[in-house]
Amino acid sequence: MSILVNDNYQNLAQNYLFSNIAKKVKAYTEANPDKKVIRLGIGDVTLPLVPTVIEAMHKAVDEMGNQATFRGYAPECGYDFAIEAVIKHYAAWNVELGMNEVFISDGAKSDCGNITDIFGDNEILIPDPVYPVYLDSNIMNGRRISYLAANQENGFLPMPEGVEKKSYIIYICSPNNPTGAVYNKEQLKEWVDFANETQSVIIFDSAYEAFIKGDYPHSIFEIEGSRTCAIEICSLSKTAGFTGTRMGYTIVPEQLVCSGTQLNKMWNRRQCTKFNGTSYIIQRAGEAALSEKGFKECLDNIAYYMENAKLIADVLDEKGIWYTGGISSPYIWLKCPNGMKSWEFFDYLLNELQIVGTPGAGFGSQGEGYFRLTSFGSREATQEAVERIRKGL
Ligand code: PLP
């Protein structure tokens, strides 16, 4: 006799994508200690936090050391000042949000995983390829999952046309990780109309919104009709380099009602029960990142990364290697040369050029034969990787 465990975990792929990569890189570096490996794999930022954020954090730390300004538990759903900063950020796109519609968290990954708590046994629609957390968190809950194939033919932007009309939880990530594809307003309107018609819920991940160039929606709430069918999850990880600092937010509109229940109230209840708030210091940092001055500094960092993306794109152009992304996204999504499979190309790049990327197959079966390179490296590392590709590929 033993206690029962969640058997759904047996259905997860054996290893999380990035642990697999780390293992392979570790084995290679141990066997080749003299070789300098350049890591353009994991989507982690490398530039330090911007000065306005650092200043705000120092001030908040001092407040915590002073009896008069010390703070204990934060409000579970966020301090008003942080919520107001998010609301102001959205006002730039003419999106109006209420104070009780924004929930401050410790990042988008937790919210992506935790949001499944408030839903029952629905069918899930997940783009393929995409950020793996949507899939794994739903596998953990034993959900029925269908895929939306994203491929070169549809510009890596699957549309509702041809999808059977019934209720789903639909995940949309725009700009997309890993492909860098971005939905325009008309395309998102089609998804919103589909969701309202079928009483589905869209979970919109806008983690890369700050990278958007041109006239694309930064938020699903720019789309008419979205307040009755969408939840948005976002993060300061890529916007402000908060991957190690940790702050995100989820927006659940008041009008979103499923089976007679307001999801906003459910998410509030879920957070108040299982989450004890993001640290005061971090919320002050987030407020600073979204302030006019702080955000400008963050955009300078993003511009730096995008110059890296341009260097990578240029060498791929020279080599005649097909790619997309790298314009409204920090990721370049390329077709593996010479018909190589994703992991084959991974091994080739690691062994021959000592460059680490991410195999497209790790983001879904449609990613097979593709590969992701990130522009989040330093300029020097990116330049060196580009030179190696120029000479060796
Ligand atoms: N959503 C997408 C699409 C991502 O690519 C990532 C991180 O890579 C996240 C969410 C996770 O963000 P956070 O660092 O806030 O947990």
Side-chain angles (χ1 to χ4, degrees):
M1 269 274 276
S2 172
I3 56 137
L4 302 174
V5 296
N6 182 348
D7 281 334
N8 296 317
Y9 278 57
Q10 310 285 348
N11 300 324
L12 292 166
Q14 201 120 55
N15 263 312
Y16 189 60
L17 169 66
F18 293 103
S19 1
N20 257 346
I21 294 173
K23 231 185 250 169
K24 278 191 177 243
V25 174
K26 186 164 179 269
Y28 180 84
T29 47
E30 277 170 11
N32 302 277
D34 54 316
K35 295 266 167 65
K36 186 178 156 211
V37 171
I38 302 177
R39 289 160 210 266
L40 301 182
I42 195 162
D44 199 357
V45 296
T46 51
L47 289 174
L49 296 173
V50 300
T52 299
V53 166
I54 291 297
E55 207 177 294
M57 285 173 89
H58 279 304
K59 186 162 170 269
V61 168
D62 287 341
E63 285 177 53
M64 293 298 270
N66 182 328
Q67 181 71 67
T69 49
F70 169 77
R71 313 254 181 158
Y73 286 124
E76 291 93 341
C77 299
Y79 282 107
D80 282 357
F81 64 79
I83 294 171
E84 278 159 10
V86 172
I87 290 177
K88 204 161 155 239
H89 189 62
Y90 277 66
W93 316 313
N94 295 319
V95 173
E96 273 181 46
L97 300 172
M99 288 296 288
N100 61 343
E101 295 181 314
V102 178
F103 298 82
I104 305 295
S105 72
D106 62 358
K109 192 195 230 180
S110 350
D111 284 357
C112 286
N114 295 336
I115 200 81
T116 59
D117 272 14
I118 66 168
F119 294 111
D121 188 12
N122 300 293
E123 185 165 344
I124 314 293
L125 271 188
I126 297 186
D128 172 7
V130 85
Y131 180 58
V133 174
Y134 319 143
L135 175 65
D136 283 355
S137 54
N138 279 291
I139 291 177
M140 287 172 175
N141 282 355
R143 299 291 180 242
R144 291 159 290 143
I145 294 159
S146 300
Y147 295 95
L148 292 163
N151 46 41
Q152 256 174 275
E153 290 72 57
N154 60 23
F156 293 97
L157 294 170
M159 297 299 297
E161 201 187 334
V163 177
E164 192 187 341
K165 286 198 173 159
K166 49 184 180 167
S167 303
Y168 307 90
I169 304 289
I170 306 166
Y171 285 85
I172 297 180
C173 178
S174 179
N176 180 278
N177 175 12
T179 68
V182 199
Y183 283 104
N184 65 29
K185 221 169 192 162
E186 293 68 37
Q187 291 167 322
L188 280 186
K189 178 78 174 106
E190 279 190 45
W191 274 116
V192 164
D193 289 346
F194 177 87
N196 278 321
E197 191 189 335
T198 56
Q199 299 190 27
S200 296
V201 171
I202 295 172
I203 297 181
F204 189 79
D205 185 338
S206 57
Y208 297 93
E209 64 83 5
F211 289 78
I212 289 177
K213 273 207 190 77
D215 189 20
Y216 294 96
H218 288 243
S219 163
I220 189 83
F221 299 118
E222 291 179 62
I223 309 300
E224 200 193 327
S226 57
R227 292 182 66 88
T228 50
C229 68
I231 289 173
E232 182 156 302
I233 297 177
C234 194
S235 163
L236 293 182
S237 281
K238 311 300 157 80
T239 301
F242 272 37
T243 54
T245 304
R246 311 303 307 143
M247 184 177 134
Y249 44 89
T250 284
I251 296 162
V252 190
E254 287 215 303
Q255 291 91 332
L256 183 54
V257 176
C258 298
S259 305
T261 304
Q262 244 185 326
L263 293 194
N264 177 286
K265 292 221 161 59
M266 286 185 78
W267 183 242
N268 183 299
R269 188 74 169 86
R270 191 265 167 218
Q271 290 299 82
C272 290
T273 302
K274 296 193 182 179
F275 182 59
N276 238 347
T278 305
S279 131
Y280 172 70
I281 298 161
I282 301 308
Q283 291 195 55
R284 281 294 183 200
E287 177 193 30
L290 294 175
S291 69
E292 203 177 320
K293 186 157 170 259
F295 192 61
K296 228 186 234 160
E297 294 166 0
C298 292
L299 288 179
D300 286 344
N301 282 2
I302 288 175
Y304 171 96
Y305 293 133
M306 296 318 289
E307 283 167 30
N308 286 347
K310 175 84 169 66
L311 291 174
I312 299 170
D314 285 349
V315 78
L316 296 178
D317 280 335
E318 270 172 52
K319 295 280 168 187
I321 294 172
W322 187 93
Y323 68 91
T324 184
I327 294 170
S328 288
S329 133
Y331 302 121
I332 300 256
W333 179 249
L334 61 99
K335 193 162 192 168
C336 302
N338 308 321
M340 270 189 261
K341 292 194 156 191
S342 298
W343 279 104
E344 216 180 319
F345 188 56
F346 175 90
D347 289 333
Y348 177 86
L349 270 191
L350 178 61
N351 292 316
E352 303 303 321
L353 303 183
Q354 292 75 50
I355 296 171
V356 181
T358 312
F363 297 98
S365 62
Q366 297 287 320
E368 181 58 276
Y370 293 88
F371 202 77
R372 190 190 78 174
L373 288 174
T374 158
S375 61
F376 282 133
S378 70
R379 177 61 40 78
E380 298 66 35
T382 307
Q383 275 167 337
E384 195 174 334
V386 162
E387 270 322 298
R388 289 184 195 179
I389 292 172
R390 185 167 281 126
K391 289 193 190 116
L393 199 64

